[in-house]
Amino acid sequence: MRNLTLVLSIAVIALSSCLKKGFNAPPDISSVDPNIPVNITIAQLKAGIGNTTQRIDSDWTIYGIVNADDRSGNLYKQINIEDSTGGISILIDAYSLYTKYPVGRKVYVRLKGLYYGLYSKFPQLGYAPDYTGAVNNIPGPTADNYIVGANYPNAVSMTSFTDLSALKAVNVSMLGRLVTIDNVQVVAADTAKTYSDSLTASNITLEDCSGNKIVIRTSNFADFHGMHVPKGKGKIIALYTCFNATPQLVIRDTSDLQLSGVRCVGTEPPAPTLISIDSMRKMYPGSGSFSLPAAQITGVVISDINNKNVPSGNFVIEDASRKGVVLYIPGSSTYKLGDSLLINLAGGRLELYPATGSGSLMELTGLSASKISKVGSNKSVTPTVLTIAQLNADFSEYESTLVKIINATILGSGSYSGNKTLADGTGTISLYTSATASFSGDPLPTGTHNVTGIATPYSQGNELKLRNPALDIQ
C-alpha cells in the first residue's frame, strides 16, 4: 500500500488541573448529512476501471465510512473508506487527517478529476500519477473539492472470519475492508518481536490453528512500532490489504490485536496483551466509568512526588506512543520520577474528573499496588518540543505528557506558588505550582528559559505543571 511504507477515583486532590478528555474528538460531531447523491458504489468503481491507472472524467460520486485513519501513524497521509460493497484508500497530502476524517465519519467523494490506480495491486484514489504510474496524493488545499465530510459517528462495518482460510491468498473482494478474524495467534518464532523494526516497516506472521498464515505489516512510524506483540490466541481487527500476490493485514493500533487466550497448543494463558497508553485511552467511550479489559501497559513516571507538586498517591506516566495518563493509588508515594512500570489493567477503570464540565481529566483508577510492578528506575522521557500556540491549539493531544517550551518567560514576580503566566511570543499558558510543593516559595526566575512541564488542562484554561525547577527551568 502506498505511503504505508508497505504496508494504542483520582480525585486529583489539591491538583488545580483537570484535563480534557483523553482523545481528540473530530471538529464536527453533528448528525448533519448533506445527502449528496451517490451514483456508483466502490465495487462498481473498481470493476469499471479494472487494473489500470485512469483519470475519472465521469460525474461519479461514492460514499463510505472511514474504517482506518492516520492517528497512530500506521497509515500515512491517507484514510480508508468502506461502503456495503467494498473498500478503497484515499491519498491526501496532509497530516493528522484523523482530526477531520476520524474512524466512523461518513464521507462523500466526488470522483471527477481524481485518478484511480493500483499500488502493488492495492486500489487507491489520488491525483495525477508520477513517473512510475502510481497515483499521487490529492493536494491538501484542494481535498475539500473532492471529499465532503458528513455525519459522525457511524458504525464501522467489519466482515468476520473464523480463521484465515479465505484470506491466506489475496481475496480481491475484501481489499480495503475491515475484517475480524478469530482463533489466530502470532507464530512462535515472532512472539519475541516488536511490531516493527525502528528503521523500516516490518512483518510479523499470524497463523490460525490449522496452520494458515498471513502477515501483519507495520510502519516504523507507527507510535506503537516498538512494543512487543502479544503471545496469546484470540481475535484481530485489521484492514485487509495486499502487496502484489501477498495479502497483508494492517492494524490501526494495538487494541486491534486482542490475543490473550490460550494458544492453539498450550495449557496456560499467556500474560495479558501489552497495549499502548494511546490504545487504552481510545477505549474510553467519552463519559461514565469504563472497565478495562485484561491487558497491560508500560510507562515511565514523569511526575515528581519527592518535590510534592502532585499529591501523595497521584502519579503520571508516559509511554513510547507519546501518550500519558494519571493514576491514583490511595496512600501510595512509592512511584518516583523515572520509575519504569508494568501495569496490569484488569479491574481498572477509565474515568473523567470532574465527570462533567470543562477541563476534565482522564484518570486510571481502581487498581491496587499489587497490579503495578516496577521494572526499572532512573529512566528519562524526552519532552515534546512545542510553541505555546501549538500546545494550546491541540492540547488534548498532549494531555498528561511532558512538553518543553523554548525561550519562554515567566511573567511577573514573587514565588512559584499558584498560577503564573508563561509566554513565548506565540501565546501564553498558566504555569501552576501547588502551595504544598517543596519549591512553591522559591523566587521566580527572570529572563528567558527553556521550560519543561506536564500538560494539564484546567477548567479555567490550559496549564503546565513543573516537576521541580532544577530539572525543568533551563
Side-chain angles (χ1 to χ4, degrees):
M1 182 188 297
R2 191 166 186 233
N3 292 329
L4 183 58
T5 325
L6 295 182
V7 164
L8 153 99
S9 136
I10 284 182
V12 181
I13 310 164
L15 261 174
S16 82
S17 300
C18 299
L19 292 170
K20 296 178 182 177
K21 292 181 181 179
F23 57 90
N24 281 22
D28 173 18
I29 56 172
S30 71
S31 59
V32 175
D33 184 341
N35 290 310
I36 297 173
V38 172
N39 52 18
I40 189 173
T41 67
I42 293 175
Q44 289 170 335
L45 170 66
K46 292 177 178 179
I49 295 180
N51 297 325
T52 62
T53 298
Q54 183 175 317
R55 176 185 164 93
I56 302 170
D57 291 316
S58 301
D59 286 316
W60 291 340
T61 299
I62 60 173
Y63 92 94
I65 307 299
V66 178
N67 62 13
D69 60 30
D70 63 346
R71 176 171 182 138
S72 71
N74 207 19
L75 294 179
Y76 178 68
K77 291 188 175 183
Q78 66 182 290
I79 59 173
N80 204 90
I81 66 170
E82 180 175 347
D83 67 8
S84 61
T85 69
I88 195 165
S89 178
I90 306 173
L91 309 183
I92 307 170
D93 191 15
Y95 299 102
S96 299
L97 294 170
Y98 69 90
T99 62
K100 191 171 185 177
Y101 310 112
V103 170
R105 168 140 283 162
K106 182 179 182 179
V107 297
Y108 296 89
V109 186
R110 297 184 174 109
L111 296 172
K112 186 173 183 179
L114 295 181
Y115 283 76
Y116 173 92
L118 300 176
Y119 182 73
S120 300
K121 298 188 178 180
F122 185 78
Q124 299 177 323
L125 288 171
Y127 223 55
D130 60 22
Y131 70 96
T132 69
V135 296
N136 278 305
N137 293 66
I138 303 167
T142 67
D144 287 346
N145 296 336
Y146 303 100
I147 304 167
V148 180
N151 56 311
Y152 170 92
N154 293 279
V156 178
S157 176
M158 302 182 193
T159 305
S160 298
F161 296 87
T162 57
D163 58 30
L164 290 168
S165 58
L167 301 173
K168 63 181 180 179
V170 174
N171 185 329
V172 174
S173 68
M174 295 308 302
L175 291 175
R177 305 191 78 159
L178 202 64
V179 300
T180 67
I181 311 162
D182 292 318
N183 304 307
V184 291
Q185 62 189 20
V186 176
V187 297
D190 286 353
T191 53
K193 292 183 178 180
T194 58
Y195 283 93
S196 175
D197 181 84
S198 62
L199 299 178
T200 184
S202 306
N203 292 341
I204 58 172
T205 300
L206 198 71
E207 65 181 356
D208 62 22
C209 293
S210 298
N212 300 308
K213 293 180 172 63
I214 193 171
V215 299
I216 303 173
R217 184 75 171 175
T218 302
S219 168
N220 56 308
F221 293 104
D223 60 21
F224 57 86
H225 79 272
M227 299 183 66
H228 285 276
V229 299
K231 298 180 180 181
K233 178 172 71 79
K235 178 175 76 172
I236 185 174
I237 302 170
L239 187 66
Y240 186 74
T241 74
C242 70
F243 180 65
N244 293 320
T246 302
Q248 297 182 150
L249 298 176
V250 176
I251 64 172
R252 299 163 301 175
D253 61 61
T254 54
S255 63
D256 280 345
L257 207 53
Q258 302 168 15
L259 309 181
S260 58
V262 177
R263 290 178 64 86
C264 296
V265 178
T267 57
E268 297 294 331
T273 299
L274 185 65
I275 64 173
S276 66
I277 292 177
D278 185 37
S279 295
M280 180 192 71
R281 294 179 68 98
K282 285 189 285 189
M283 294 179 186
Y284 187 67
S287 62
S289 180
F290 175 75
S291 295
L292 288 161
Q296 293 178 326
I297 58 172
T298 61
V300 174
V301 177
I302 59 172
S303 53
D304 185 3
I305 193 64
N306 286 343
N307 281 279
K308 301 179 181 178
N309 204 19
V310 59
S312 177
N314 293 326
F315 57 101
V316 188
I317 64 171
E318 182 175 345
D319 73 356
S321 70
R322 311 289 290 190
K323 295 295 185 290
V325 70
V326 178
L327 295 92
Y328 175 64
I329 303 295
S332 172
S333 299
T334 301
Y335 308 108
K336 312 295 186 185
L337 177 65
D339 284 350
S340 178
L341 306 179
L342 175 66
I343 301 171
N344 187 334
L345 299 176
R349 302 184 304 276
L350 291 178
E351 298 175 349
L352 297 181
Y353 178 82
T356 59
S358 61
S360 291
L361 163 75
M362 179 176 283
E363 54 193 35
L364 173 54
T365 69
L367 297 177
S368 64
S370 64
K371 295 292 185 72
I372 302 176
S373 301
K374 178 180 171 181
V375 294
S377 57
N378 299 316
K379 304 295 183 181
S380 61
V381 171
T382 301
T384 301
V385 177
L386 299 165
T387 65
I388 292 176
Q390 290 171 327
L391 177 59
N392 284 330
D394 200 10
F395 202 85
S396 61
E397 182 72 11
Y398 305 104
E399 174 188 337
S400 294
T401 68
L402 208 57
V403 300
K404 177 185 282 189
I405 310 298
I406 304 297
N407 295 327
T409 303
I410 304 175
L411 303 180
S413 59
S415 68
Y416 281 101
S417 184
N419 285 294
K420 308 301 177 182
T421 299
L422 186 70
D424 70 347
T426 71
T428 62
I429 193 170
S430 178
L431 188 70
Y432 176 75
T433 302
S434 169
T436 63
S438 62
F439 56 88
S440 65
D442 293 354
L444 293 175
T446 59
T448 60
H449 300 269
N450 298 335
V451 179
T452 299
I454 301 172
T456 309
Y458 177 53
S459 59
Q460 304 302 313
N462 300 330
E463 292 180 348
L464 285 183
K465 280 185 177 298
L466 298 177
R467 298 166 299 174
N468 65 78
L471 184 64
D472 291 338
I473 307 292
Q474 303 293 327

